[in-house]
Amino acid sequence: MVLTGHHNSMIGGGRRGGRARDSLPLVSVPAYADLLGLVAFGELLAFERMAGDARLAPDLSRRAALNEMAAAEIANYRRLADRLTALGVLPEEAMAPYVEPLQAYHDSTEPRDWAEVVTKAYVGDAITDDFVREIADALAEPDRALVLDVLHDSRYADFAAEEIRVAVADDPRVAGRLSMWARRLVGEALSQAGRVAAERAALTALIARDGRVDVAGLFGRLTSAHTARMVAAGLNN
């Protein structure tokens, strides 16, 4: 998903207002800062990936479209980073626990061509968004609204799905390859999601808090939504 996994620690606000980080005031940090950190790092990675993957676009129109989407992702990252800062949390510290698992997913699923780029966007990003939407139900406002607002909108999914359908129409044999690619993406995504849930106690507590998130049915719903997306794009589950 991302072609370069490095990010500048100052992007997340290593210093605020010119003060050293050890001079920041001590404040009460909400438990759900963990989720904001997860989403913020996801947006940062999405920006890096899209900006890099745009070079695989078959023409300038598609290249421009992907770069426009990348611009939206970095704007979303900034909104989340600003919110974390307002809560007294350094953005890079909130994101740090998720660097290894998310980077592992993207490093193990780098697309080889444009068809794989858009399939990863359509399948991988969508299942991640579904996961975050489920957890966001446990958030209080205004953070719930913020998280839901920064998730990929339907234009992104529609663009990727149409590109997949075009690729399959041009060469029906592509459907089999992309279907296998999609299954790999989902397997990797669910594996890393399980790892994150197991390692991040604060995030797990947020998911289970007050029974507001149906943990038992969560992965079943993720799988069902994925199946529907595959059918809509003309791929085999």
Side-chain angles (χ1 to χ4, degrees):
M1 184 173 181
V2 76
L3 298 182
T4 114
H6 307 290
H7 70 278
N8 185 337
S9 64
M10 294 305 292
I11 288 177
R15 291 179 181 271
R16 186 175 59 182
R19 293 180 297 175
R21 77 190 255 181
D22 59 6
S23 67
L24 291 175
L26 296 176
V27 297
S28 176
V29 177
Y32 53 76
D34 254 41
L35 180 59
L36 297 181
L38 169 61
V39 180
F41 187 60
E43 295 295 320
L44 185 57
L45 278 179
F47 163 73
E48 293 178 346
R49 183 210 73 216
M50 289 182 189
D53 286 353
R55 291 173 293 184
L56 295 174
D59 55 47
L60 290 178
S61 176
R62 290 176 173 89
R63 184 173 180 174
L66 205 58
N67 274 303
E68 288 174 358
M69 293 175 193
E73 299 293 353
I74 200 63
N76 286 337
Y77 161 78
R78 174 45 54 196
R79 293 176 63 192
L80 290 155
D82 287 347
R83 176 57 178 161
L84 284 164
T85 300
L87 292 170
V89 182
L90 289 170
E92 71 268 25
E93 290 186 354
M95 294 188 294
Y98 303 107
V99 172
E100 186 176 344
L102 268 65
Q103 196 66 61
Y105 166 73
H106 295 303
D107 288 347
S108 66
T109 57
E110 283 203 13
R112 297 170 295 178
D113 57 25
W114 178 248
E116 290 189 0
V117 165
V118 293
T119 301
K120 185 169 181 177
Y122 183 64
V123 173
D125 290 354
I127 200 164
T128 301
D129 287 352
D130 288 346
F131 177 71
V132 172
R133 281 192 189 93
E134 292 269 357
I135 304 174
D137 283 341
L139 296 181
E141 300 296 354
D143 297 287
R144 178 180 179 276
L146 172 60
V147 168
L148 294 177
D149 193 45
V150 302
L151 295 180
H152 304 96
D153 63 29
S154 61
R155 290 175 300 164
Y156 186 32
D158 292 345
F159 171 81
E162 181 59 25
E163 290 296 302
I164 294 170
R165 286 190 287 265
V166 168
V168 171
D170 288 344
D171 182 359
R173 294 172 299 178
V174 170
R177 174 168 69 89
L178 294 183
S179 295
M180 291 181 62
W181 174 240
R183 285 193 287 272
R184 178 182 168 191
L185 292 169
V186 171
E188 292 282 351
L190 292 179
S191 174
Q192 294 303 331
R195 174 184 173 185
V196 166
E199 293 180 357
R200 297 303 300 163
L203 189 61
T204 303
L206 177 64
I207 295 173
R209 189 178 65 181
D210 301 331
R212 278 184 276 186
V213 177
D214 176 14
V215 179
L218 173 58
F219 285 94
R221 289 191 298 276
L222 293 179
T223 302
S224 295
H226 164 68
T227 299
R229 275 190 295 269
M230 292 284 282
V231 172
L235 300 179
N236 300 316
N237 190 38

